[in-house]
């Protein structure tokens, strides 16, 4: 599950504290910015701060209709290094028109950050135990991408760069 105590790395390399809170086991809606699970989406109208949705691999945007226009952020969990569904979810949500923040959580570390950024992610919660400053270096691993992506609509070979 999501660890809201970990700092958040932005795609520009800056680090900030997380402002989002989870609904506790007592089901009391916290004040401020709130992360809702798919099962808690019925509470969205009661959130006073920013609204985020937490997606696991079981909640594909291809199979569910989410209120994208009501969400400020979507957190997508990467259950493991070998599970690429989070990349697909991010690209699909961008194609569906979501313009808010996409945040990668779970198995997030230096070697995957550049790929996550190219898939449309804006922020990252680096895996607990990993150095966030070292991980941030992964954001600049590839500066001249060959293929198009969500983040790079036209690759260099098509622009003449």
């Amino acid at each position: 599950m999501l660890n809201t105590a970990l700092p958040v790395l932005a795609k520009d390399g800056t680090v900030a504290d997380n402002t989002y809170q989870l609904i506790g086991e007592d089901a009391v809606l916290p004040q401020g910015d709130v992360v809702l699970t798919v099962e808690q989406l019925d509470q969205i109208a009661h959130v006073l701060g920013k609204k985020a949705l937490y997606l696991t691999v079981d909640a594909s945007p291809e199979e569910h209709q989410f209120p994208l226009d009501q969400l400020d952020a979507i957190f997508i969990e990467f259950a493991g290094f070998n599970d690429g569904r989070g990349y697909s979810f991010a690209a699909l949500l961008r194609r569906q028109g979501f313009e808010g923040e996409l945040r990668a959580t779970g198995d997030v570390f230096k070697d995957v950050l550049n790929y996550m950024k190219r898939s449309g992610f804006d922020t990252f919660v680096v895996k607990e135990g990993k150095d966030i400053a070292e991980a941030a270096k992964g954001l600049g691993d590839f500066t001249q991408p060959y293929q198009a992506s969500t983040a790079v609509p036209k690759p260099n070979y098509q622009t003449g760069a």
Side-chain angles (χ1 to χ4, degrees):
M1 188 66 181
L2 179 65
N3 184 343
T4 57
L6 294 174
V8 178
L9 174 65
K11 65 183 177 184
D12 66 2
T14 59
V15 177
D17 290 331
N18 174 52
T19 62
Y20 286 93
Q21 305 167 68
L22 298 167
I23 295 177
E25 291 180 19
D26 56 6
V28 174
L29 192 65
Q31 297 294 314
D33 304 340
V34 176
V35 180
L36 302 166
T37 63
V38 172
E39 296 78 24
Q40 297 167 333
L41 271 174
D42 59 339
Q43 298 290 316
I44 197 166
H46 305 293
V47 176
L48 300 176
K50 291 182 180 177
K51 301 162 182 75
L53 175 62
Y54 180 70
L55 293 182
T56 63
V57 295
D58 300 325
S60 171
E62 209 167 30
E63 298 170 5
H64 294 83
Q65 292 292 323
F66 299 121
L68 301 180
D69 59 332
Q70 297 177 48
L71 295 167
D72 297 291
I74 299 177
F75 295 15
I76 299 175
E77 180 184 69
F78 283 80
F81 170 74
N82 60 347
D83 189 346
R85 287 177 280 188
Y87 298 102
S88 300
F89 287 6
L92 182 58
L93 287 164
R94 291 295 188 210
R95 284 195 301 271
Q96 289 176 352
F98 183 68
E99 296 180 6
E101 174 188 350
L102 284 180
R103 183 176 296 183
T105 69
D107 199 12
V108 177
F109 52 97
K110 178 185 177 188
D111 294 347
V112 298
L113 287 181
N114 192 275
Y115 301 110
M116 289 176 172
K117 182 173 77 170
R118 287 180 44 83
S119 296
F121 285 96
D122 304 294
T123 57
F124 317 89
V125 178
V126 176
K127 186 176 184 176
E128 193 167 4
K130 299 287 184 184
D131 182 353
I132 196 167
E134 179 63 26
K137 295 176 185 175
L139 291 169
D141 278 351
F142 304 101
T143 58
Q144 301 295 320
Y146 188 73
Q147 299 106 338
S149 70
T150 302
V152 180
K154 203 167 203 179
N156 285 338
Y157 75 89
Q158 289 180 332
T159 63

